Amino acid sequence: MHIQNNNPLVFVDNCFDRLALRRVDEKWITAQLSDPATRFVPVAGEDNLLTANGTPLLLDTSAVAQWRAQSQCTVLLGEYRGCVCFALGLNQDVTLPAGAARSNLRPQFGVLEDDALALLGYARAMTHWHAHNRFCGKCGAPTRSQRAGHELHCTACGNIVYPRVNPAVIMLVTHGERCLLGRQPEWAANRFSTLAGFVEPGENLENALRREILEETNVRVGRVRYLRSQPWPYPASLMLSFRAEAESAGIRCNDGELVEARWFSRQEIATGLQAGSLSLSLPGSSSHALIREWFEEVPGFVLASAADAR
Ligand SMILES: [Zn+2]
């Protein structure tokens, strides 16, 4: 899938080959783990690591040797910029090499290259999954990594755990010429975003979306239209973007997830952004892309993009 340059979403893995068929080739994996050309992407607990220059910290086999005792998992990621790469899951409190820094990836949107963000996000998602599945959920025995880190097998009952992705719907709800944005309690007072929520078992995407909007704002939604998806490694979501048309406009925040929800016209968004009384989600996020494409459907309205921020 090609994401248009004028509407980029971060974390989309257009830029590397996952080498999925190699995961079962244990001889090849062993050879790659000692090959001087191989690179390791360390993740310290919840944090990605960057060099002093702000680029992704990539280690070779000799640099990794000293981390072995603190390493919790090694996962084949694929080929990135001509190098075979593995994620290396480390303890949260590991001592970093000189100059290296911990980083959440959000402040790196529009700073790091798209392929670097996709690689680091993928590494974080896989090491997070390993760290949270060290024991079998069925019998409680330790699990063992298989298929180059892409399966965890229970050492006692044979249960196999696969990397989990949690589907979440994220939607721009419109009513006439206005769109519905909400604010979560922990956000800054001027920050608003599209509504979003996790899909529950036994529910399709369309109904998850309608339920979430009704729960959060009491607005009833009719027609919905799927647009695109985005991997989101905080910690393991797949964001599924929709446009939705409201059939009612009265707002009441029902479930406590939002402290405020409002209908915004394009002019209110333009004025709020200019005055600094409104801020939106980061360029590169599904929320930003949803708002931007609706906003720009009317000539004369243009929102900054991730590409502009570079
Ligand atoms: Zn088990």
Side-chain angles (χ1 to χ4, degrees):
M1 184 173 68
H2 179 69
I3 300 293
Q4 293 174 13
N5 286 334
N6 63 351
N7 188 18
L9 293 178
V10 298
F11 298 135
V12 177
D13 67 329
N14 289 331
C15 325
F16 56 86
D17 180 347
R18 291 177 175 243
L19 303 173
L21 297 175
R22 289 290 199 181
R23 291 172 192 164
V24 288
D25 188 345
E26 288 182 17
K27 255 190 182 166
W28 183 84
I29 295 290
T30 305
Q32 298 306 312
L33 287 171
S34 57
D35 188 325
T38 296
R39 291 293 176 269
F40 294 82
V41 185
V43 182
E46 303 293 316
D47 299 322
N48 284 100
L49 301 179
L50 302 179
T51 66
N53 297 328
T55 56
L57 180 66
L58 300 179
L59 306 171
D60 62 17
T61 46
S62 62
V64 155
Q66 61 179 329
W67 299 58
R68 278 280 172 230
Q70 299 178 82
S71 131
Q72 296 189 336
C73 65
T74 306
V75 183
L76 175 65
L77 297 177
E79 189 177 316
Y80 164 81
R81 298 189 182 185
C83 293
V84 173
C85 285
F86 290 84
L88 186 70
L90 301 167
N91 297 331
Q92 180 76 44
D93 57 358
V94 73
T95 307
L96 302 185
R102 297 165 191 275
S103 179
N104 184 289
L105 295 176
R106 293 177 184 88
Q108 304 301 328
F109 294 2
V111 179
L112 285 177
E113 299 286 341
D114 286 345
D115 61 345
L117 276 170
L119 181 81
L120 294 179
Y122 181 28
R124 187 188 188 280
M126 291 305 293
T127 55
H128 182 275
W129 173 70
H130 270 261
H132 287 75
N133 289 277
R134 291 164 54 213
F135 298 94
C136 174
K138 201 170 161 190
C139 78
T143 56
R144 183 178 58 228
S145 180
Q146 296 284 294
R147 289 177 77 106
H150 289 263
E151 288 181 6
L152 288 169
H153 292 203
C154 177
T155 51
C157 78
N159 183 32
I160 301 176
V161 190
Y162 300 94
R164 257 322 120 66
V165 171
N166 301 313
V169 285
I170 181 163
M171 47 276 177
L172 187 87
V173 183
T174 59
H175 190 260
E177 293 303 308
R178 297 182 302 168
C179 76
L180 181 62
L181 303 179
R183 190 167 70 76
Q184 291 183 12
E186 61 271 23
W187 291 354
N190 65 349
R191 183 174 165 205
F192 282 80
S193 181
T194 49
L195 308 188
F198 285 108
V199 181
E200 295 184 351
E203 191 174 49
N204 69 13
L205 300 176
E206 300 88 321
N207 289 336
L209 179 160
R210 293 190 178 100
R211 174 185 53 74
E212 281 289 342
I213 296 166
L214 190 65
E215 279 176 11
E216 294 185 3
T217 64
N218 217 42
V219 169
R220 291 192 180 278
V221 157
R223 281 206 324 184
V224 301
R225 181 162 56 94
Y226 170 76
L227 294 173
R228 68 183 74 80
S229 61
Q230 178 184 32
W232 191 259
Y234 289 99
S237 298
L238 179 68
M239 307 304 292
L240 299 144
S241 288
F242 285 83
R243 280 280 283 269
E245 292 175 21
E247 291 181 338
S248 68
I251 293 173
R252 188 180 71 224
C253 293
N254 286 327
D255 65 359
E257 277 197 42
L258 299 176
V259 279
E260 191 182 356
R262 277 167 51 192
W263 293 105
F264 285 84
S265 68
R266 289 180 178 82
Q267 192 55 55
E268 283 173 302
I269 290 177
T271 306
L273 290 174
Q274 204 161 27
S277 58
L278 172 68
S279 73
L280 303 175
S281 301
L282 292 166
S285 65
S286 292
S287 173
H288 190 93
L290 278 165
I291 295 170
R292 187 160 83 93
E293 66 199 349
W294 168 80
F295 189 81
E296 295 183 352
E297 281 167 11
V298 171
F301 289 99
V302 179
L303 211 62
S305 71
D308 300 334
R310 280 185 194 135

